[in-house]
Amino acid sequence: MSGEVLQGWWHWAQGIIPASERQSGLQELKQFLRAFTVLSPLEITLRRFPPQIHLKLPLTELQERWQRRWQERVPLQYLIGVAHWHDLELVVTPSVLIPRPETEELLEVVAATVPPWQQQGHWLDLGTGSGAIAIGLARLFPTALIHAVDCSPEALEVAQVNIQKYALGDRVRCYVGNWFDPIVPLQGQVQGIVSNPPYIPTSLVATLQPEVQYHEPLLALDGGTDGLQAIRQILETAPEYLQRQGWLFIELMATQGEAVAALARATQAYERVEILRDLSGHDRFLLAQTP
Ligand SMILES: C[S@@+](CC[C@H](N)C(=O)[O-])C[C@H]1O[C@@H](n2cnc3c(N)ncnc32)[C@H](O)[C@@H]1O
């Protein structure tokens, strides 16, 4: 395709970005074009296109996808098929949650908390989705064996693609099923558990931005009436799986800190229970350790 035609396309593409989202929309347009061409960021920013450009998809397909971004509010990551998270570029489809910056922080909390002697053995990622946490953990703890569980077979297919992409097939195993059900043989052997479970109360799902409520999997969002259904289940069962002084890290919603800490203490199975804040100052993570 000629650079001139792409100039015309750019003009059209920026014209359909809603005025209220012009700045962020332009950033997305640059990312969108980067994903489907071999143009450099500078060529795109300056709109200095070479005379001939190779497009990875036909122009009509690009046009249709960019329209879906604004008419249907499909998240950019689903349209380009990848999400940048931590130091990874993960494949994503509408079967998986788009991994969030808060979850990068969760991984940083794990890295800062777990002493070297426990950075090995069996670790769990419960509700792995795209495999983000499992892959992040495997790279963080190079001798650990990671068990990634999700009840969605479609999500696990995506996780497998990402695990292969980072050549971690020998250290990250995937299981389909309900939380701990597929990994019963690991009872009493697990060094640590990391989970970003669904935690949005059902009644709030309809208040989320359209990109999230209409396009991300409900299974990844809906945490039941009080949002704590999955968290409660994980808190209650985790002690059966953890070794002595084993770790549990769970991501939560900003308003759930006190309730989750109370649930953890009520099990009487943890000697240390803390709620940690994210970079925005909101309660975001549970850290618990068995005696
Ligand atoms: C909030 S998403 C987290 C995805 C990914 N770990 C991340 O942080 O981006 C929650 C995940 O939990 C999975 N899930 C929901 N209920 C589950 C259950 N009962 N057992 C196992 N996984 C479940 C969903 O399919 C979804 O992939």
Side-chain angles (χ1 to χ4, degrees):
M1 195 200 25
S2 76
E4 209 175 314
V5 172
L6 191 60
Q7 291 285 3
W9 184 84
W10 176 283
H11 189 72
W12 166 83
Q14 76 175 8
I16 68 166
I17 300 171
S20 58
E21 291 166 281
R22 192 168 163 77
Q23 223 163 359
S24 60
L26 275 176
Q27 290 308 322
E28 291 196 24
L29 179 54
K30 290 178 192 170
Q31 272 180 269
F32 186 80
L33 213 50
R34 276 206 78 190
F36 297 115
T37 64
V38 290
L39 293 168
S40 71
L42 194 64
E43 284 173 315
I44 294 174
T45 299
L46 302 178
R47 264 191 291 146
R48 212 171 271 163
F49 303 143
Q52 278 305 314
I53 297 146
H54 171 69
L55 290 184
K56 295 177 186 170
L57 286 179
L59 192 63
T60 48
E61 174 70 24
L62 287 195
Q63 191 143 330
E64 193 202 311
R65 287 196 196 194
W66 188 245
Q67 244 161 352
R68 291 186 66 212
R69 172 71 193 96
W70 304 108
Q71 285 175 359
E72 297 170 33
R73 310 296 306 194
V74 178
L76 178 76
Q77 291 89 337
Y78 291 151
L79 295 171
I80 65 176
V82 292
H84 293 271
W85 183 85
H86 211 254
D87 57 347
L88 307 172
E89 189 185 83
L90 298 167
V91 169
V92 291
T93 72
S95 297
V96 300
L97 186 95
I98 297 164
R100 302 291 204 270
E102 290 84 351
T103 314
E104 294 181 21
E105 288 183 55
L106 172 63
L107 211 60
E108 278 153 27
V109 167
V110 175
T113 310
V114 177
W117 68 272
Q118 288 182 303
Q119 298 181 3
Q120 52 196 315
H122 299 289
W123 279 79
L124 309 183
D125 170 11
L126 298 180
T128 196
S130 62
I133 293 175
I135 294 169
L137 267 179
R139 285 158 62 95
L140 199 59
F141 300 161
T143 59
L145 188 58
I146 319 296
H147 305 271
V149 179
D150 207 291
C151 63
S152 156
E154 295 81 16
L156 277 181
E157 272 177 37
V158 177
Q160 291 278 17
V161 169
N162 287 317
I163 290 163
Q164 294 310 325
K165 179 173 178 184
Y166 287 95
L168 289 167
D170 56 337
R171 286 203 301 117
V172 184
R173 296 189 187 151
C174 289
Y175 306 78
V176 185
N178 183 41
W179 305 128
F180 296 90
D181 290 356
I183 47 169
V184 172
L186 290 175
Q187 278 186 355
Q189 297 179 50
V190 173
Q191 199 69 255
I193 300 171
V194 186
S195 182
N196 173 21
Y199 53 65
I200 313 282
T202 307
S203 60
L204 289 188
V205 172
T207 67
L208 301 173
Q209 63 187 90
E211 280 83 350
V212 182
Q213 63 162 308
Y214 298 132
H215 299 289
E216 298 207 71
L218 189 62
L219 198 55
L221 305 170
D222 189 347
T225 312
D226 61 358
L228 299 174
Q229 193 173 299
I231 292 177
R232 204 176 273 117
Q233 225 171 321
I234 293 170
L235 275 173
E236 283 168 7
T237 315
E240 294 166 28
Y241 284 78
L242 290 170
Q243 294 185 357
R244 289 179 62 83
Q245 299 193 299
W247 297 95
L248 175 62
F249 300 91
I250 304 182
E251 183 174 321
L252 21 121
M253 205 165 89
T255 51
Q256 293 170 337
E258 270 181 41
V260 171
L263 283 173
R265 292 195 182 101
T267 64
Q268 301 192 335
Y270 304 99
E271 71 169 13
R272 179 175 169 192
V273 172
E274 288 174 34
I275 298 297
L276 306 177
R277 296 195 170 157
D278 60 21
L279 291 174
S280 318
H282 298 120
D283 285 354
R284 184 66 63 191
F285 312 110
L286 167 89
L287 178 165
Q289 191 178 24
T290 52

